[in-house]
Amino acid sequence: MPQLICRESGESYPIHETRWKSESGGLLDIQFRPNFDPQKVKYAPPSLWRYRDALPLDEEEEIVSLQEGFTPMVSLEIGHKTLLLKLDYLFPSGSYKDRGATVLMTHAKALGVEQVVQDSSGNAGCAIANYAALAGINCKIFVPENTSSGKLAQIRLHGAELIKVPGSREETARITLLAAEDTYYASHVWNPFFFQGTKTFAYEVCEQLGWQAPDTVILPAGNGTLLLGAYIGFSELQEAGIIAQVPRLIGVQAQHCDPLVQAFRYHLKNIPVIEKKDTLAEGISIANPARGDQMLQYVRETQGHFIAVEESEIKEALLELGKRGFYVEPTSAAVYAGALKYIRTQAQHDERMVSVLTGSGLKSTDKILKMLA
Ligand SMILES: *Cc1c(COP(=O)(O)O)cnc(C)c1O
């Protein structure tokens, strides 16, 4: 039986409890060993739900889905090297957060949850609002007041109650934690079911490579929603003997907000307190990631590291992506800038590298216009 396990105290709980943190207030992980057979999904419909057997959900649970996922992976030539890019901005709500939202809201519906709260710099709120609407669950989303207007419109259109919080992203998280004391917290940071959704990224990448792992995977490192999920997915596939090794994970941060880069560089055990500056990459502007220690641990375990990118590099990357046919948000461009940096300075010529375009540009048009001015 899968269990919820507290990362700090080791306390465990049945998976059917509507809890999102432990009795002592610690973060929860899910202890679960999937029984997954790649042969069985060969002819399954092209959505992330082809990996349902790898998810800790009951057989009879009705899925809350728009047949999302199994996103294209395209190949880009960069100098004499090749980068494979997963187009995760093509999800229904316009970002990879739908991976977590479809799985988490499926679980919430099966638990009989009637209301959820969530906070985000935008996209996680959009995804939860969308899937809460599909699940028929009431939804309250807290966002920092400087969130892009496209994301605010989307959250409202899906029928969620929108609460704008003055001040920083950290202040929004603090207020939401209070509201979550007596509600189900559909958090992409706290709720371990969200990572069960984002782990499908790893399953898709490996299947699209003929059930082989790439050497290196370059991902955003904000709260680590995708990075932690990818690690879980690759680890499961490796433990099941389906792939030979877990790829090296490279986490990308904006230099204006780079606590993980610093922790890694100075071999710190915990995340340092930093003074963050405004960045184009709003989606990874997280000064104090709740699962920061976990990100450090996983990245170290894979012999990976963290890369910081400057504002000018983010802007250049966004312009280059535009010329290559991708309209993505600046946060996505930061990850691409990190991938370019990795390829130019460290990659071997035959290294198999995968990165991701995380979010659509269509809801960040206000910020993109400002950048072009
Ligand atoms: C949430 C988000 C990120 C940051 O991802 P984490 O997994 O939290 O590190 C990056 N890009 C976009 C578009 C996002 O919505």
Side-chain angles (χ1 to χ4, degrees):
M1 266 297 269
Q3 297 224 299
L4 301 168
I5 307 277
C6 175
R7 286 188 64 74
E8 280 133 56
S9 66
E11 292 161 274
S12 66
Y13 309 92
I15 209 151
H16 298 110
E17 286 190 9
T18 49
R19 70 163 57 244
W20 54 269
K21 61 176 179 178
S22 74
E23 222 37 66
S24 53
L27 291 154
L28 295 172
D29 283 340
I30 295 178
Q31 194 176 63
F32 170 57
R33 205 173 237 274
N35 187 1
F36 171 72
D37 178 2
Q39 286 308 320
K40 281 197 356 207
V41 301
K42 214 166 171 183
Y43 303 107
S47 96
L48 61 82
W49 285 98
R50 63 205 276 112
Y51 311 115
R52 182 178 179 152
D53 285 352
L55 299 171
L57 301 170
D58 294 337
E59 291 274 317
E60 68 277 11
E61 281 177 26
E62 181 198 332
I63 65 173
V64 178
S65 168
L66 294 167
Q67 289 295 316
E68 56 289 291
F70 212 68
T71 55
M73 186 157 74
V74 299
S75 169
L76 293 194
E77 294 310 313
I78 293 168
H80 295 292
K81 294 176 188 140
T82 303
L83 177 67
L84 297 168
L85 261 188
K86 282 285 276 175
L87 306 186
D88 270 20
Y89 70 106
L90 299 178
F91 271 93
S93 88
S95 87
Y96 83 82
K97 300 290 193 317
D98 287 358
R99 290 187 187 277
T102 180
V103 172
L104 173 55
M105 296 316 288
T106 292
H107 178 64
K109 187 173 180 184
L111 290 178
V113 165
E114 287 173 0
Q115 165 148 317
V116 296
V117 294
Q118 155 73 322
D119 60 309
S120 92
S121 60
N123 286 327
C126 295
I128 290 293
N130 187 4
Y131 287 88
L134 284 176
I137 293 174
N138 279 323
C139 179
K140 231 185 232 191
I141 306 286
F142 294 77
V143 295
E145 62 185 350
N146 65 351
T147 300
S148 293
S149 56
K151 295 175 186 173
L152 301 180
Q154 190 181 2
I155 290 167
R156 288 175 54 201
L157 195 72
H158 292 313
E161 186 185 339
L162 178 70
I163 297 132
K164 287 195 222 174
V165 182
S168 65
R169 172 72 183 83
E170 289 71 28
E171 179 61 10
T172 301
R174 198 184 64 79
I175 300 278
T176 315
L177 270 172
L178 295 176
E181 279 301 324
D182 54 3
T183 324
Y184 193 62
Y185 192 14
S187 169
H188 58 299
V189 185
W190 281 86
N191 200 307
F193 274 91
F194 208 98
F195 300 96
Q196 291 294 313
T198 54
K199 85 180 185 190
T200 60
F201 176 84
Y203 281 74
E204 289 181 19
V205 166
C206 293
E207 184 174 2
Q208 287 167 329
L209 293 174
W211 291 111
Q212 290 191 350
D215 298 303
T216 308
V217 180
I218 303 149
L219 296 172
N223 275 310
T225 321
L226 189 55
L227 189 140
L228 297 171
Y231 174 89
I232 294 169
F234 286 122
S235 300
E236 287 175 356
L237 291 167
Q238 193 246 336
E239 276 166 30
I242 296 165
I243 59 170
Q245 88 290 342
V246 175
R248 184 184 302 122
L249 296 182
I250 309 292
V252 182
Q253 301 211 288
Q255 199 178 36
H256 281 186
C257 183
D258 65 349
L260 292 157
V261 173
Q262 296 193 31
F264 195 86
R265 184 182 302 146
Y266 302 115
H267 307 283
L268 309 178
K269 201 167 163 288
N270 301 106
I271 306 305
V273 176
I274 60 146
E275 208 39 61
K276 78 171 177 186
K277 297 191 211 123
D278 275 350
T279 170
L280 288 165
E282 64 181 15
I284 48 174
S285 177
I286 310 292
N288 186 16
R291 290 186 188 261
D293 300 352
Q294 195 173 1
M295 293 164 79
L296 272 179
Q297 181 198 324
Y298 289 177
V299 165
R300 282 183 176 133
E301 219 173 274
T302 68
Q303 320 290 332
H305 59 270
F306 293 91
I307 290 180
V309 294
E310 290 169 30
E311 295 302 294
S312 59
E313 293 175 304
I314 298 172
K315 185 171 169 180
E316 253 169 61
L318 188 68
L319 296 174
E320 184 182 319
L321 284 170
K323 291 194 185 119
R324 287 184 182 251
F326 304 109
Y327 191 63
V328 294
E329 69 170 88
T331 305
S332 306
V335 183
Y336 183 65
L340 291 179
K341 202 171 223 176
Y342 178 83
I343 290 169
R344 285 174 186 148
T345 60
Q346 298 172 53
Q348 309 289 316
H349 78 96
D350 57 350
E351 191 170 328
R352 191 135 70 160
M353 296 171 284
V354 172
S355 189
V356 60
L357 294 179
T358 50
S360 166
L362 291 172
K363 28 181 160 170
S364 296
T365 294
D366 50 352
K367 289 189 172 149
I368 294 173
L369 278 174
K370 215 189 273 173
M371 205 198 73
L372 290 174

